[in-house]
Amino acid sequence: MAHRIVVVGGGAGGAEFATKVGNRYGHAGAVAVTLVDRSRTHLWKPLLHEVAAGSMDMHDHQLDYLAQARWHHFTFALGALAGLDRAAREIIVAAVTDDEGQEILPERRIGYDTLVIAIGSESNDFNTPGVRDHAFTIDNTWQAHLFHRRLVNACFRANYAARGEVIDIAIVGAGATGVELAAELHNTLRVLTGYGLRSFDPEKQIHITVVEAGPRILPGLPDHVAEGTLKVLSGLGVDVLTSEKVVEVEEHGLKTASGREVRGDFTVWAAGIRCAEVLRELGGLETNRINQLVVKPTLQCTRDDDIFAIGDCAAAPWIDGRNVPPRAQAAHQQSSHLVATVARRLAGKPPAAYRYRDFGSLVSLGRYDTVGQLMGFISSEKFRVEGWVAKFFYVSLYRQHIWALHGFWRMALDTMARMLRRRIDPKVKLH
Ligand SMILES: Cc1cc2nc3c(=O)[nH]c(=O)nc-3n(C[C@H](O)[C@H](O)[C@H](O)COP(=O)(O)OP(=O)(O)OC[C@H]3O[C@@H](n4cnc5c(N)ncnc54)[C@H](O)[C@@H]3O)c2cc1C
């Protein structure tokens, strides 16, 4: 019987893993690979702030799982992970319903010999009152799309009313997502007005505030990256408030612990991460306080050697008692490591330990700048990058993901096609 590999979550880590093991083993029939995702399409998550700002059309970049499965010799099963029966070695996939609540697929059980859980993370509202009711999150494509649509509608409304009313955007969290979104929005809302919004002046009518609980922006990234980013944001007129912990979000703004009130017709919550509730006590597996599955250095769950976790939903040990950070590059590395692990398992060998290699961090401030720090290729010295060089490396990260999903030549063709399309498409998404 074929060895059954089930991958739950087709994101930065899971989609690459399913593709690679499908390519390597799927057509021979010795291994049966199944990818389970609650969504029908995949979009690389680090692009979501661009979808939210309107500089990217999600439909141009989404990958259809069914097509990917056909091309790369695996099976796709639509549905959300709902449970795990470790004794029977089966996962439980929730029923799928349509927009009207009609059932499309019933609840199902899928058997595995090797299970890989890669369902990512979502933003952590730390149970702050009002976030669920009044704040946007951009954890998935649909949320990013909804935010963009509402914002464009607000601009159309303000343009038609022609009363000069100000649209306040408050972004909670000055991590990479928050600051990248602020810069991207600043640009796209200016471009948008060029498409006929003659009575709308973004210089006066758009006000963006970034609110951060920590003492400085981009916690966890080097000082010079934070300083460079702050300089760019200040130059754009974005207000950056640090050491301000948000304690409540309301319909038209938020309050901080110091008593400050910040206006926000649109509040975006982009502070911290946590994993889905389904992981808490999933089949009795060990989880931490943010619901990540605790894994050994081999990426095996501490309580079950047949279950692996990768990407944001895995608490994998790194250095100095810290875990591997929740980043796309970690998900990418872990997916490659796991392909080698599968080969070892099939050969009856024990899995090898994974070691995270931090290649540095880059922050894209849209057309204004890109700043960051990269690890040297020869020595382990870190060096600063900015401007076009940094932009090149930033864009390369996505190209690397496309390469992993489609191979080199399709990635190269896709890159060229996009360069050509840029000349004929509007510069921002207008609907
Ligand atoms: C706006 C934004 C910008 C970012 N920018 C960067 C960046 O510049 N650089 C960087 O390194 N990282 C960045 N990140 C973080 C990066 O996106 C994540 O670390 C990375 O995507 C994690 O990969 P993953 O495979 O673990 O999960 P994801 O890529 O999130 O994929 C998870 C998959 O699981 C599916 N899923 C979720 N729940 C279930 C369920 N119950 N059942 C079935 N399927 C499920 C989802 O549909 C999704 O397909 C950014 C994140 C955001 C939100």
Side-chain angles (χ1 to χ4, degrees):
M1 211 173 111
H3 184 91
R4 298 163 303 169
I5 299 178
V6 174
V7 191
V8 189
E16 290 189 13
F17 174 74
T19 301
K20 286 179 197 160
V21 284
N23 280 343
R24 192 180 283 194
Y25 305 105
H27 57 280
V31 174
V33 185
T34 304
L35 172 68
V36 180
D37 201 290
R38 63 181 177 189
S39 170
R40 294 166 202 238
T41 55
H42 160 70
L43 185 102
W44 198 56
K45 211 172 164 186
L47 299 177
L48 286 183
H49 69 282
E50 295 186 30
V51 175
S55 46
M56 172 174 288
D57 186 339
M58 65 178 191
H59 301 292
D60 279 352
H61 288 260
Q62 275 174 328
L63 170 75
D64 207 311
Y65 286 125
L66 278 173
Q68 186 72 0
R70 162 101 199 264
W71 296 328
H72 299 279
H73 317 289
F74 63 87
T75 305
F76 173 63
L78 178 66
L81 175 70
L84 169 65
D85 180 345
R86 277 168 59 201
R89 287 184 169 207
E90 288 174 342
I91 60 160
I92 299 153
V93 180
V96 180
T97 53
D98 64 15
D99 295 339
E100 286 75 43
Q102 297 278 340
E103 187 172 281
I104 305 171
L105 299 168
E107 182 179 286
R108 286 143 293 154
R109 283 177 166 250
I110 300 177
Y112 65 85
D113 297 305
T114 299
L115 175 63
V116 177
I117 302 181
I119 63 169
S121 63
E122 53 199 43
S123 46
N124 192 345
D125 66 10
F126 305 101
N127 296 323
T128 309
V131 177
R132 271 195 197 169
D133 294 331
H134 304 300
F136 288 87
T137 48
I138 47 171
D139 292 331
N140 59 49
T141 324
W142 183 246
Q143 291 172 354
H145 168 71
L146 267 189
F147 170 77
H148 173 256
R149 205 166 61 179
R150 297 245 183 107
L151 188 59
V152 170
N153 287 347
C155 293
F156 283 166
R157 212 176 284 126
N159 177 63
Y160 183 74
R163 287 193 299 265
E165 67 202 52
V166 176
I167 300 173
D168 284 289
I169 303 169
I171 300 171
V172 184
T177 304
V179 300
E180 289 185 340
L181 178 65
E184 203 71 52
L185 280 172
H186 184 277
N187 174 43
T188 53
L189 291 174
R190 272 150 188 78
V191 178
L192 179 72
T193 54
Y195 290 93
L197 274 66
R198 294 191 185 87
S199 306
F200 183 72
D201 180 359
E203 293 302 331
K204 295 186 185 132
Q205 289 179 259
I206 291 287
H207 180 232
I208 304 174
T209 310
V210 179
V211 189
E212 166 62 40
R216 75 150 164 87
I217 65 166
L218 296 172
L221 294 195
D223 286 343
H224 73 87
V225 178
E227 283 156 19
T229 302
L230 186 59
K231 212 165 127 191
V232 173
L233 291 181
S234 304
L236 297 177
V238 173
D239 278 340
V240 179
L241 309 177
T242 50
S243 302
E244 292 283 3
K245 183 170 179 258
V246 175
V247 290
E248 189 177 353
V249 177
E250 296 169 339
E251 195 179 348
H252 291 291
L254 51 87
K255 287 184 184 151
T256 70
S258 71
R260 196 164 188 154
E261 294 193 2
V262 176
R263 279 196 57 78
D265 302 302
F266 291 84
T267 298
V268 181
W269 191 270
I273 65 144
R274 73 165 173 217
C275 297
E277 281 299 307
V278 69
L279 292 185
R280 195 200 294 262
E281 293 175 17
L282 179 76
L285 297 175
E286 187 187 357
T287 50
N288 65 11
R289 72 187 158 78
I290 56 166
N291 297 342
Q292 284 175 314
L293 293 167
V294 181
V295 296
K296 299 191 263 192
T298 53
L299 303 178
Q300 287 164 303
C301 287
T302 47
R303 293 181 189 154
D304 195 322
D305 281 352
D306 294 329
I307 304 180
F308 295 76
I310 59 169
D312 286 8
C313 73
W318 186 28
I319 44 167
D320 305 330
R322 284 182 290 156
N323 285 335
V324 174
R327 294 205 192 138
Q329 59 169 312
H332 169 74
Q333 289 174 24
Q334 290 174 341
S335 74
S336 303
H337 180 85
L338 222 52
V339 177
T341 298
V342 166
R344 294 180 71 89
R345 267 170 84 78
L346 294 175
K349 294 182 188 163
Y354 159 75
R355 281 186 57 191
Y356 174 60
R357 274 200 72 192
D358 184 1
F359 289 104
S361 317
L362 294 165
V363 177
S364 165
L365 302 167
R367 60 181 279 268
Y368 303 113
D369 206 356
T370 304
V371 286
Q373 174 176 268
L374 292 177
M375 192 69 86
F377 291 106
I378 298 165
S379 74
S380 57
E381 285 277 300
K382 289 181 174 167
F383 61 95
R384 295 176 181 203
V385 280
E386 55 187 53
W388 283 106
V389 179
K391 186 81 188 171
F392 171 79
F393 281 106
Y394 185 87
V395 173
S396 306
L397 286 175
Y398 180 45
R399 294 286 116 204
Q400 191 180 41
H401 180 61
I402 298 296
W403 184 344
L405 294 181
H406 300 300
F408 176 78
W409 289 112
R410 275 189 74 172
M411 182 276 290
L413 275 176
D414 180 75
T415 309
M416 273 194 290
R418 286 188 192 289
M419 284 163 79
L420 293 173
R421 284 282 301 273
R422 279 229 306 266
R423 299 193 169 271
I424 51 169
D425 284 347
K427 293 205 167 8
V428 293
K429 190 161 179 290
L430 302 168
H431 58 278

